[in-house]
Amino acid sequence: MRLTDISYARAVMLRHGIVPQKRYGQNFLTNPHVVDLIADVCADDECGIIEIGPGIGTLTEALCERYKKVVAIEIDKTLIPVLADTLSGFDNVKVIEGDAMKLDFNALIAEHFPGMPVAVCANLPYYITSPIIMKMLEYGPLFRSITVMIQKEVADRLTSAAGSADYGAITLAVNYRAQVEKVTNVAPSNFIPPPKVTSTVIKMNVLQKPPVDVLNEEKLFDIIKLAFAQRRKTLANALDEKYGKDDVASALEKINIRPDVRGERLSLSDFARLSDLI
Ligand code: SAM
């Protein structure tokens, strides 16, 4: 029996005295089609998988059925014995108790996946969606891809175009590292307990190198952060204190952009060109 069978999942939780913990963002998946879809799309056959937050093991079992090796990192120590129970039929899984935000993924991969491409797969706890995504992307091409279920609202931001209301600093930060595709939306009724919002599965195909060349990456992201911190201001005004309004306006003119533009209108490549000029 699979853990997407609600009566089986409830029996497992009852047997181990598990009540889903809000503070850890525990909403367990119950729809077998969604679980299979995520497990199918998240990686190529030859990949090893890192799962963040296996919960009671619902997605983990689908991953173990498809891939050679799965390492699952779970912060909630009360779930470790549950996972030992629900995953006892698999010999290709290793559960690690720990906080994914604090883990050194270089060391983890060197230890568990030598010579193997690795993909990340997770139904993420929503309280740390953005920091976890940014942490994983900062490793660059260490991961081949990162497939995550997140709030639809955040997925819309990551896939939005310049000029739209959802477009922001995180859109640019993610697009600097990965090509993002939406896989599917998932309604709250597909989880126990149901979350308050609709979810979306996205797959981030990690780029071997950024899509734009820039002299100073840190400066690029400083400019982007300042541009969106006060998004109602013109870009020149938002950057005035640190970079000088006149210098910004003349740099914009050099790249054929109106000097009174707002930051939300600029593409990643516009920001890169601007960053090199000021
Ligand atoms: N994968 C399971 C599923 O799809 O049913 C559970 C997903 S649930 C939304 C999120 C899981 O992440 C929970 O098991 C939670 O305890 C775990 N978690 C929360 N914060 C974490 C962290 N910082 N590091 C690792 N796991 C974490």
Side-chain angles (χ1 to χ4, degrees):
M1 202 167 325
R2 293 179 68 182
L3 287 156
T4 43
D5 182 310
I6 297 183
S7 49
Y8 173 46
R10 284 198 199 285
V12 165
M13 286 197 269
L14 194 67
R15 187 160 74 236
H16 290 275
I18 297 297
V19 176
Q21 298 290 310
K22 219 173 173 175
R23 70 188 165 122
Y24 287 137
Q26 292 176 354
N27 303 97
F28 301 135
L29 261 167
T30 56
N31 183 325
H33 305 296
V34 174
V35 169
D36 286 340
L37 177 64
I38 299 173
D40 283 339
V41 302
C42 75
D44 304 313
D45 291 347
E46 70 271 25
C47 285
I49 308 288
I50 295 177
E51 187 191 7
I52 297 170
I56 58 171
T58 317
L59 178 58
T60 326
E61 58 183 10
L63 294 169
C64 290
E65 280 163 3
R66 288 164 175 79
Y67 300 97
K68 281 196 195 85
K69 186 156 188 197
V70 178
V71 171
I73 302 139
E74 176 54 60
I75 198 170
D76 182 354
K77 65 174 186 296
T78 67
L79 291 174
I80 305 300
V82 182
L83 290 160
D85 175 4
T86 57
L87 302 174
S88 61
F90 297 101
D91 59 8
N92 57 342
V93 62
K94 165 105 185 132
V95 175
I96 296 175
E97 183 192 330
D99 180 346
M101 280 305 294
K102 295 191 183 141
L103 222 87
D104 175 350
F105 284 91
N106 278 312
L108 184 126
I109 288 178
E111 183 181 349
H112 296 282
F113 300 100
M116 228 176 165
V118 176
V120 174
C121 185
N123 169 13
L124 281 183
Y126 293 170
Y127 74 103
I128 42 167
T129 307
S130 303
I132 282 240
I133 290 178
M134 289 320 302
K135 174 177 162 115
M136 307 304 282
L137 285 174
E138 268 156 27
Y139 283 97
L142 179 68
F143 306 111
R144 186 176 281 187
S145 62
I146 301 169
T147 301
V148 284
M149 170 114 68
I150 57 179
Q151 306 92 310
K152 178 176 180 299
E153 183 201 330
V154 179
D156 289 342
R157 282 160 136 258
L158 302 189
T159 52
S160 64
S164 79
D166 292 327
Y167 188 66
I170 191 165
T171 320
L172 289 156
V174 169
N175 283 277
Y176 188 73
R177 302 276 185 200
Q179 175 265 327
V180 189
E181 57 185 87
K182 272 192 188 175
V183 177
T184 190
N185 289 334
V186 185
S189 56
N190 294 292
F191 302 83
I192 44 171
K196 290 203 171 66
V197 293
T198 298
S199 305
T200 299
V201 179
I202 59 163
K203 181 172 184 185
M204 291 171 276
N205 297 299
V206 180
L207 301 169
Q208 286 302 308
K209 67 186 250 330
V212 295
D213 289 323
V214 66
L215 297 172
N216 183 340
E217 221 173 74
E218 213 176 295
K219 184 172 160 199
L220 168 68
F221 285 103
D222 183 50
I223 290 170
I224 290 173
K225 202 171 98 196
L226 291 171
F228 288 96
Q230 305 180 71
R231 63 189 292 154
R232 305 310 301 161
K233 283 192 174 180
T234 67
L235 186 57
N237 279 333
L239 300 184
D240 184 30
E241 203 176 309
K242 186 137 179 210
Y243 294 99
K245 187 176 168 168
D246 295 339
D247 285 357
V248 175
S250 78
L252 284 169
E253 278 185 317
K254 279 193 197 130
I255 55 173
N256 296 322
I257 295 178
R258 287 175 52 157
D260 61 350
V261 73
R262 285 196 186 133
E264 64 196 15
R265 295 266 154 211
L266 267 63
S267 67
L268 181 58
S269 104
D270 296 333
F271 273 113
R273 286 188 299 157
L274 177 69
S275 165
D276 284 352
L277 282 170
I278 60 175

Short mmCIF file of all heavy atoms in Angstrom, two decimals, residues 149-210:
data_model
loop_
_atom_site.label_atom_id
_atom_site.label_comp_id
_atom_site.label_asym_id
_atom_site.label_seq_id
_atom_site.Cartn_x
_atom_site.Cartn_y
_atom_site.Cartn_z
N MET A 149 7.74 21.83 -4.99
CA MET A 149 6.36 22.30 -4.85
C MET A 149 6.42 23.50 -3.91
O MET A 149 6.98 23.43 -2.81
CB MET A 149 5.51 21.21 -4.21
CG MET A 149 4.16 21.70 -3.79
SD MET A 149 2.87 20.95 -4.72
CE MET A 149 2.96 19.28 -4.17
N ILE A 150 5.87 24.63 -4.38
CA ILE A 150 5.91 25.87 -3.59
C ILE A 150 4.54 26.55 -3.69
O ILE A 150 3.67 26.09 -4.45
CB ILE A 150 7.02 26.82 -4.10
CG1 ILE A 150 6.83 27.13 -5.60
CG2 ILE A 150 8.39 26.20 -3.88
CD1 ILE A 150 7.89 28.09 -6.17
N GLN A 151 4.36 27.65 -2.97
CA GLN A 151 3.11 28.39 -3.09
C GLN A 151 2.98 28.90 -4.53
O GLN A 151 3.97 29.39 -5.09
CB GLN A 151 3.09 29.61 -2.17
CG GLN A 151 3.37 29.36 -0.72
CD GLN A 151 4.86 29.51 -0.40
OE1 GLN A 151 5.72 28.94 -1.07
NE2 GLN A 151 5.15 30.25 0.64
N LYS A 152 1.76 28.86 -5.07
CA LYS A 152 1.56 29.32 -6.45
C LYS A 152 2.03 30.77 -6.61
O LYS A 152 2.63 31.14 -7.62
CB LYS A 152 0.08 29.19 -6.82
CG LYS A 152 -0.24 29.68 -8.22
CD LYS A 152 -1.69 29.46 -8.59
CE LYS A 152 -1.97 29.97 -9.99
NZ LYS A 152 -1.74 31.42 -10.15
N GLU A 153 1.75 31.57 -5.59
CA GLU A 153 2.12 32.98 -5.63
C GLU A 153 3.65 33.16 -5.85
O GLU A 153 4.07 34.02 -6.62
CB GLU A 153 1.72 33.56 -4.27
CG GLU A 153 1.94 35.02 -4.09
CD GLU A 153 2.00 35.37 -2.60
OE1 GLU A 153 1.37 34.70 -1.77
OE2 GLU A 153 2.75 36.32 -2.29
N VAL A 154 4.43 32.31 -5.20
CA VAL A 154 5.89 32.41 -5.37
C VAL A 154 6.28 31.90 -6.76
O VAL A 154 7.12 32.49 -7.45
CB VAL A 154 6.64 31.64 -4.26
CG1 VAL A 154 8.15 31.75 -4.46
CG2 VAL A 154 6.25 32.16 -2.88
N ALA A 155 5.64 30.81 -7.19
CA ALA A 155 5.93 30.26 -8.53
C ALA A 155 5.64 31.31 -9.60
O ALA A 155 6.39 31.46 -10.57
CB ALA A 155 5.10 29.01 -8.77
N ASP A 156 4.55 32.08 -9.42
CA ASP A 156 4.20 33.13 -10.39
C ASP A 156 5.30 34.18 -10.45
O ASP A 156 5.63 34.70 -11.51
CB ASP A 156 2.87 33.79 -10.02
CG ASP A 156 1.69 32.86 -10.26
OD1 ASP A 156 1.85 31.87 -11.01
OD2 ASP A 156 0.60 33.12 -9.70
N ARG A 157 5.90 34.48 -9.28
CA ARG A 157 6.98 35.48 -9.27
C ARG A 157 8.20 34.96 -10.02
O ARG A 157 8.83 35.68 -10.78
CB ARG A 157 7.41 35.77 -7.82
CG ARG A 157 6.46 36.68 -7.11
CD ARG A 157 6.66 36.52 -5.61
NE ARG A 157 6.67 37.80 -4.97
CZ ARG A 157 7.76 38.43 -4.57
NH1 ARG A 157 8.94 37.90 -4.69
NH2 ARG A 157 7.68 39.60 -4.03
N LEU A 158 8.49 33.68 -9.81
CA LEU A 158 9.72 33.14 -10.41
C LEU A 158 9.61 33.01 -11.92
O LEU A 158 10.63 32.94 -12.61
CB LEU A 158 10.07 31.77 -9.79
CG LEU A 158 10.26 31.75 -8.27
CD1 LEU A 158 10.81 30.41 -7.82
CD2 LEU A 158 11.19 32.86 -7.82
N THR A 159 8.39 32.94 -12.43
CA THR A 159 8.22 32.74 -13.87
C THR A 159 7.66 33.99 -14.56
O THR A 159 7.22 33.92 -15.69
CB THR A 159 7.26 31.54 -14.12
OG1 THR A 159 6.07 31.75 -13.36
CG2 THR A 159 7.88 30.23 -13.72
N SER A 160 7.68 35.14 -13.87
CA SER A 160 7.05 36.33 -14.45
C SER A 160 8.02 37.09 -15.36
O SER A 160 9.24 36.92 -15.29
CB SER A 160 6.56 37.25 -13.33
OG SER A 160 7.67 37.71 -12.61
N ALA A 161 7.43 37.94 -16.21
CA ALA A 161 8.24 38.71 -17.17
C ALA A 161 8.43 40.13 -16.68
O ALA A 161 7.61 40.64 -15.88
CB ALA A 161 7.53 38.72 -18.52
N ALA A 162 9.48 40.79 -17.17
CA ALA A 162 9.75 42.19 -16.80
C ALA A 162 8.51 43.04 -17.04
O ALA A 162 7.82 42.87 -18.04
CB ALA A 162 10.93 42.72 -17.62
N GLY A 163 8.22 43.92 -16.10
CA GLY A 163 7.08 44.83 -16.25
C GLY A 163 5.83 44.33 -15.56
O GLY A 163 4.91 45.09 -15.31
N SER A 164 5.77 43.04 -15.23
CA SER A 164 4.55 42.54 -14.58
C SER A 164 4.64 42.75 -13.07
O SER A 164 5.73 42.92 -12.51
CB SER A 164 4.34 41.05 -14.89
OG SER A 164 5.19 40.28 -14.08
N ALA A 165 3.47 42.73 -12.42
CA ALA A 165 3.42 43.03 -10.98
C ALA A 165 4.18 41.98 -10.17
O ALA A 165 4.69 42.28 -9.10
CB ALA A 165 1.96 43.08 -10.54
N ASP A 166 4.26 40.74 -10.68
CA ASP A 166 4.93 39.67 -9.93
C ASP A 166 6.46 39.71 -10.06
O ASP A 166 7.17 39.02 -9.34
CB ASP A 166 4.46 38.29 -10.45
CG ASP A 166 3.01 38.02 -10.12
OD1 ASP A 166 2.56 38.49 -9.06
OD2 ASP A 166 2.34 37.34 -10.91
N TYR A 167 6.94 40.48 -11.03
CA TYR A 167 8.38 40.52 -11.33
C TYR A 167 9.15 41.20 -10.19
O TYR A 167 8.75 42.26 -9.72
CB TYR A 167 8.55 41.33 -12.61
CG TYR A 167 9.91 41.36 -13.25
CD1 TYR A 167 10.47 40.23 -13.80
CD2 TYR A 167 10.61 42.57 -13.36
CE1 TYR A 167 11.71 40.29 -14.44
CE2 TYR A 167 11.83 42.64 -14.01
CZ TYR A 167 12.38 41.50 -14.54
OH TYR A 167 13.59 41.56 -15.17
N GLY A 168 10.22 40.57 -9.72
CA GLY A 168 10.95 41.17 -8.60
C GLY A 168 12.37 40.68 -8.53
O GLY A 168 12.86 39.95 -9.41
N ALA A 169 13.06 41.05 -7.44
CA ALA A 169 14.47 40.70 -7.28
C ALA A 169 14.67 39.19 -7.33
O ALA A 169 15.63 38.69 -7.93
CB ALA A 169 14.99 41.27 -5.97
N ILE A 170 13.72 38.43 -6.73
CA ILE A 170 13.90 36.97 -6.71
C ILE A 170 13.74 36.37 -8.12
O ILE A 170 14.40 35.39 -8.47
CB ILE A 170 12.98 36.29 -5.67
CG1 ILE A 170 13.41 34.82 -5.51
CG2 ILE A 170 11.52 36.41 -6.01
CD1 ILE A 170 12.89 34.10 -4.33
N THR A 171 12.89 36.99 -8.95
CA THR A 171 12.74 36.51 -10.33
C THR A 171 14.10 36.57 -11.03
O THR A 171 14.53 35.62 -11.70
CB THR A 171 11.78 37.44 -11.13
OG1 THR A 171 10.70 37.83 -10.31
CG2 THR A 171 11.31 36.80 -12.41
N LEU A 172 14.78 37.70 -10.87
CA LEU A 172 16.06 37.89 -11.54
C LEU A 172 17.14 37.00 -10.94
O LEU A 172 17.94 36.42 -11.68
CB LEU A 172 16.46 39.37 -11.44
CG LEU A 172 15.57 40.26 -12.30
CD1 LEU A 172 15.54 41.69 -11.80
CD2 LEU A 172 16.07 40.24 -13.75
N ALA A 173 17.12 36.85 -9.61
CA ALA A 173 18.14 36.00 -8.96
C ALA A 173 18.00 34.55 -9.44
O ALA A 173 18.99 33.88 -9.72
CB ALA A 173 17.99 36.08 -7.45
N VAL A 174 16.77 34.07 -9.55
CA VAL A 174 16.56 32.68 -9.97
C VAL A 174 16.88 32.52 -11.45
O VAL A 174 17.53 31.55 -11.86
CB VAL A 174 15.11 32.23 -9.63
CG1 VAL A 174 14.78 30.90 -10.29
CG2 VAL A 174 14.95 32.12 -8.12
N ASN A 175 16.48 33.50 -12.26
CA ASN A 175 16.74 33.39 -13.70
C ASN A 175 18.21 33.55 -14.06
O ASN A 175 18.63 33.18 -15.15
CB ASN A 175 15.86 34.38 -14.47
CG ASN A 175 14.44 33.87 -14.56
OD1 ASN A 175 14.12 33.07 -15.43
ND2 ASN A 175 13.59 34.27 -13.63
N TYR A 176 18.99 34.07 -13.15
CA TYR A 176 20.44 34.17 -13.34
C TYR A 176 21.08 32.79 -13.24
O TYR A 176 22.14 32.54 -13.80
CB TYR A 176 21.02 35.10 -12.28
CG TYR A 176 22.48 35.45 -12.46
CD1 TYR A 176 22.89 36.31 -13.46
CD2 TYR A 176 23.44 34.91 -11.60
CE1 TYR A 176 24.24 36.64 -13.62
CE2 TYR A 176 24.79 35.23 -11.75
CZ TYR A 176 25.18 36.09 -12.77
OH TYR A 176 26.50 36.41 -12.92
N ARG A 177 20.43 31.90 -12.52
CA ARG A 177 21.01 30.57 -12.25
C ARG A 177 20.31 29.42 -12.96
O ARG A 177 20.87 28.35 -13.11
CB ARG A 177 20.92 30.26 -10.75
CG ARG A 177 21.60 31.25 -9.87
CD ARG A 177 23.06 30.94 -9.75
NE ARG A 177 23.72 31.83 -8.81
CZ ARG A 177 25.01 32.05 -8.79
NH1 ARG A 177 25.78 31.46 -9.68
NH2 ARG A 177 25.54 32.86 -7.91
N ALA A 178 19.04 29.63 -13.34
CA ALA A 178 18.28 28.48 -13.84
C ALA A 178 17.23 28.90 -14.85
O ALA A 178 16.80 30.04 -14.89
CB ALA A 178 17.59 27.79 -12.65
N GLN A 179 16.85 27.90 -15.65
CA GLN A 179 15.70 28.10 -16.55
C GLN A 179 14.53 27.44 -15.82
O GLN A 179 14.62 26.28 -15.41
CB GLN A 179 16.03 27.43 -17.89
CG GLN A 179 14.93 27.41 -18.93
CD GLN A 179 14.13 26.13 -18.89
OE1 GLN A 179 14.67 25.07 -18.59
NE2 GLN A 179 12.85 26.21 -19.16
N VAL A 180 13.46 28.22 -15.61
CA VAL A 180 12.37 27.75 -14.74
C VAL A 180 11.16 27.33 -15.56
O VAL A 180 10.73 28.07 -16.45
CB VAL A 180 11.92 28.87 -13.77
CG1 VAL A 180 10.96 28.33 -12.72
CG2 VAL A 180 13.11 29.56 -13.12
N GLU A 181 10.62 26.16 -15.28
CA GLU A 181 9.37 25.77 -15.95
C GLU A 181 8.31 25.36 -14.93
O GLU A 181 8.63 24.76 -13.90
CB GLU A 181 9.60 24.64 -16.96
CG GLU A 181 10.22 23.38 -16.38
CD GLU A 181 10.55 22.34 -17.44
OE1 GLU A 181 11.66 22.41 -18.00
OE2 GLU A 181 9.71 21.46 -17.68
N LYS A 182 7.05 25.73 -15.23
CA LYS A 182 5.96 25.31 -14.35
C LYS A 182 5.54 23.90 -14.74
O LYS A 182 5.40 23.61 -15.93
CB LYS A 182 4.76 26.24 -14.54
CG LYS A 182 4.80 27.45 -13.67
CD LYS A 182 3.47 28.19 -13.68
CE LYS A 182 3.62 29.51 -12.96
NZ LYS A 182 2.44 30.35 -13.00
N VAL A 183 5.32 23.04 -13.76
CA VAL A 183 4.91 21.67 -14.06
C VAL A 183 3.40 21.53 -13.89
O VAL A 183 2.70 21.10 -14.79
CB VAL A 183 5.67 20.66 -13.16
CG1 VAL A 183 5.20 19.24 -13.41
CG2 VAL A 183 7.18 20.78 -13.38
N THR A 184 2.88 21.90 -12.72
CA THR A 184 1.43 21.81 -12.51
C THR A 184 1.02 22.59 -11.27
O THR A 184 1.84 22.83 -10.38
CB THR A 184 1.00 20.33 -12.37
OG1 THR A 184 -0.42 20.24 -12.39
CG2 THR A 184 1.47 19.71 -11.06
N ASN A 185 -0.26 22.96 -11.22
CA ASN A 185 -0.82 23.54 -10.00
C ASN A 185 -1.45 22.42 -9.17
O ASN A 185 -1.95 21.43 -9.74
CB ASN A 185 -1.91 24.56 -10.33
CG ASN A 185 -1.33 25.83 -10.94
OD1 ASN A 185 -0.18 26.17 -10.70
ND2 ASN A 185 -2.13 26.51 -11.74
N VAL A 186 -1.45 22.58 -7.86
CA VAL A 186 -2.01 21.55 -6.98
C VAL A 186 -2.91 22.22 -5.94
O VAL A 186 -2.46 23.10 -5.19
CB VAL A 186 -0.87 20.75 -6.28
CG1 VAL A 186 -1.45 19.61 -5.46
CG2 VAL A 186 0.13 20.21 -7.30
N ALA A 187 -4.18 21.78 -5.90
CA ALA A 187 -5.16 22.41 -5.00
C ALA A 187 -4.93 21.95 -3.55
O ALA A 187 -4.39 20.86 -3.32
CB ALA A 187 -6.57 22.03 -5.44
N PRO A 188 -5.36 22.78 -2.57
CA PRO A 188 -5.15 22.43 -1.15
C PRO A 188 -5.74 21.07 -0.76
O PRO A 188 -5.23 20.41 0.15
CB PRO A 188 -5.89 23.56 -0.41
CG PRO A 188 -5.87 24.71 -1.36
CD PRO A 188 -5.94 24.12 -2.73
N SER A 189 -6.79 20.62 -1.45
CA SER A 189 -7.44 19.35 -1.08
C SER A 189 -6.55 18.12 -1.30
O SER A 189 -6.91 17.02 -0.89
CB SER A 189 -8.73 19.19 -1.91
OG SER A 189 -8.40 19.26 -3.28
N ASN A 190 -5.38 18.32 -1.89
CA ASN A 190 -4.47 17.19 -2.15
C ASN A 190 -3.45 16.95 -1.04
O ASN A 190 -2.46 16.24 -1.23
CB ASN A 190 -3.73 17.41 -3.47
CG ASN A 190 -4.68 17.37 -4.64
OD1 ASN A 190 -5.23 16.34 -4.98
ND2 ASN A 190 -4.92 18.53 -5.25
N PHE A 191 -3.68 17.57 0.12
CA PHE A 191 -2.73 17.45 1.24
C PHE A 191 -3.51 17.18 2.55
O PHE A 191 -4.66 17.61 2.67
CB PHE A 191 -1.98 18.77 1.45
CG PHE A 191 -1.21 19.28 0.27
CD1 PHE A 191 -1.85 20.02 -0.73
CD2 PHE A 191 0.15 19.06 0.16
CE1 PHE A 191 -1.14 20.52 -1.81
CE2 PHE A 191 0.87 19.56 -0.92
CZ PHE A 191 0.22 20.29 -1.91
N ILE A 192 -2.82 16.52 3.50
CA ILE A 192 -3.33 16.55 4.87
C ILE A 192 -2.26 17.15 5.79
O ILE A 192 -1.13 16.70 5.74
CB ILE A 192 -3.77 15.15 5.42
CG1 ILE A 192 -2.76 14.06 5.06
CG2 ILE A 192 -5.16 14.79 5.03
CD1 ILE A 192 -3.01 12.74 5.75
N PRO A 193 -2.62 18.15 6.57
CA PRO A 193 -3.82 18.98 6.46
C PRO A 193 -3.71 19.87 5.22
O PRO A 193 -2.60 20.12 4.75
CB PRO A 193 -3.76 19.82 7.74
CG PRO A 193 -2.30 19.94 8.06
CD PRO A 193 -1.66 18.65 7.60
N PRO A 194 -4.86 20.36 4.69
CA PRO A 194 -4.77 21.23 3.50
C PRO A 194 -4.12 22.56 3.83
O PRO A 194 -4.44 23.16 4.86
CB PRO A 194 -6.24 21.43 3.10
CG PRO A 194 -7.07 20.90 4.20
CD PRO A 194 -6.23 20.10 5.12
N PRO A 195 -3.17 23.03 3.00
CA PRO A 195 -2.61 24.38 3.22
C PRO A 195 -3.65 25.44 2.87
O PRO A 195 -4.68 25.11 2.27
CB PRO A 195 -1.42 24.42 2.25
CG PRO A 195 -1.73 23.42 1.20
CD PRO A 195 -2.62 22.38 1.81
N LYS A 196 -3.36 26.70 3.18
CA LYS A 196 -4.34 27.76 2.92
C LYS A 196 -4.35 28.19 1.45
O LYS A 196 -5.30 28.80 0.99
CB LYS A 196 -4.01 28.99 3.79
CG LYS A 196 -4.28 28.74 5.26
CD LYS A 196 -4.49 30.05 6.01
CE LYS A 196 -4.97 29.81 7.41
NZ LYS A 196 -3.94 29.13 8.25
N VAL A 197 -3.28 27.88 0.74
CA VAL A 197 -3.13 28.41 -0.62
C VAL A 197 -2.92 27.30 -1.65
O VAL A 197 -2.58 26.17 -1.30
CB VAL A 197 -1.91 29.38 -0.70
CG1 VAL A 197 -2.16 30.63 0.12
CG2 VAL A 197 -0.64 28.67 -0.24
N THR A 198 -3.13 27.66 -2.92
CA THR A 198 -2.83 26.73 -4.02
C THR A 198 -1.32 26.61 -4.16
O THR A 198 -0.58 27.57 -3.93
CB THR A 198 -3.45 27.26 -5.33
OG1 THR A 198 -4.86 27.31 -5.15
CG2 THR A 198 -3.13 26.37 -6.52
N SER A 199 -0.87 25.42 -4.55
CA SER A 199 0.55 25.19 -4.72
C SER A 199 0.88 24.99 -6.20
O SER A 199 -0.02 24.69 -7.00
CB SER A 199 0.97 23.92 -3.96
OG SER A 199 0.58 24.03 -2.61
N THR A 200 2.15 25.13 -6.52
CA THR A 200 2.60 24.89 -7.91
C THR A 200 3.91 24.12 -7.86
O THR A 200 4.77 24.41 -7.02
CB THR A 200 2.82 26.22 -8.65
OG1 THR A 200 1.58 26.93 -8.69
CG2 THR A 200 3.30 26.00 -10.08
N VAL A 201 4.04 23.14 -8.74
CA VAL A 201 5.31 22.44 -8.88
C VAL A 201 6.10 23.14 -9.98
O VAL A 201 5.57 23.36 -11.07
CB VAL A 201 5.10 20.96 -9.26
CG1 VAL A 201 6.45 20.25 -9.41
CG2 VAL A 201 4.21 20.25 -8.25
N ILE A 202 7.34 23.51 -9.67
CA ILE A 202 8.21 24.08 -10.71
C ILE A 202 9.48 23.24 -10.81
O ILE A 202 9.90 22.62 -9.84
CB ILE A 202 8.59 25.55 -10.44
CG1 ILE A 202 9.33 25.71 -9.09
CG2 ILE A 202 7.41 26.47 -10.51
CD1 ILE A 202 10.07 27.02 -8.98
N LYS A 203 10.05 23.24 -12.02
CA LYS A 203 11.34 22.59 -12.20
C LYS A 203 12.34 23.65 -12.64
O LYS A 203 12.09 24.38 -13.61
CB LYS A 203 11.25 21.48 -13.25
CG LYS A 203 12.58 20.76 -13.44
CD LYS A 203 12.46 19.54 -14.33
CE LYS A 203 13.79 18.81 -14.40
NZ LYS A 203 13.76 17.69 -15.34
N MET A 204 13.45 23.76 -11.90
CA MET A 204 14.51 24.71 -12.27
C MET A 204 15.66 23.91 -12.87
O MET A 204 16.29 23.10 -12.18
CB MET A 204 14.98 25.48 -11.04
CG MET A 204 13.91 26.44 -10.53
SD MET A 204 14.31 27.17 -8.93
CE MET A 204 13.72 25.91 -7.83
N ASN A 205 15.87 24.08 -14.16
CA ASN A 205 17.01 23.43 -14.83
C ASN A 205 18.21 24.34 -14.64
O ASN A 205 18.24 25.45 -15.16
CB ASN A 205 16.69 23.23 -16.31
CG ASN A 205 15.49 22.31 -16.49
OD1 ASN A 205 15.53 21.15 -16.08
ND2 ASN A 205 14.41 22.83 -17.06
N VAL A 206 19.17 23.86 -13.85
CA VAL A 206 20.29 24.72 -13.46
C VAL A 206 21.20 24.95 -14.66
O VAL A 206 21.55 24.01 -15.39
CB VAL A 206 21.07 24.08 -12.29
CG1 VAL A 206 22.23 24.98 -11.88
CG2 VAL A 206 20.14 23.84 -11.10
N LEU A 207 21.57 26.23 -14.88
CA LEU A 207 22.41 26.59 -16.02
C LEU A 207 23.88 26.32 -15.71
O LEU A 207 24.32 26.50 -14.57
CB LEU A 207 22.21 28.08 -16.35
CG LEU A 207 20.78 28.49 -16.69
CD1 LEU A 207 20.65 30.02 -16.73
CD2 LEU A 207 20.36 27.90 -18.04
N GLN A 208 24.63 25.89 -16.71
CA GLN A 208 26.07 25.68 -16.54
C GLN A 208 26.78 27.00 -16.27
O GLN A 208 27.73 27.07 -15.52
CB GLN A 208 26.68 25.02 -17.79
CG GLN A 208 26.33 23.55 -17.94
CD GLN A 208 26.77 22.72 -16.74
OE1 GLN A 208 27.91 22.77 -16.33
NE2 GLN A 208 25.85 21.95 -16.16
N LYS A 209 26.29 28.06 -16.93
CA LYS A 209 26.82 29.40 -16.65
C LYS A 209 25.68 30.41 -16.77
O LYS A 209 24.69 30.13 -17.49
CB LYS A 209 27.99 29.75 -17.56
CG LYS A 209 27.68 29.92 -19.03
CD LYS A 209 28.96 30.12 -19.79
CE LYS A 209 29.24 31.49 -20.38
NZ LYS A 209 28.24 32.40 -20.81
N PRO A 210 25.79 31.56 -16.08
CA PRO A 210 24.69 32.53 -16.14
C PRO A 210 24.37 32.96 -17.57
O PRO A 210 25.26 32.96 -18.42
CB PRO A 210 25.22 33.70 -15.31
CG PRO A 210 26.26 33.12 -14.42
CD PRO A 210 26.88 31.99 -15.19
#
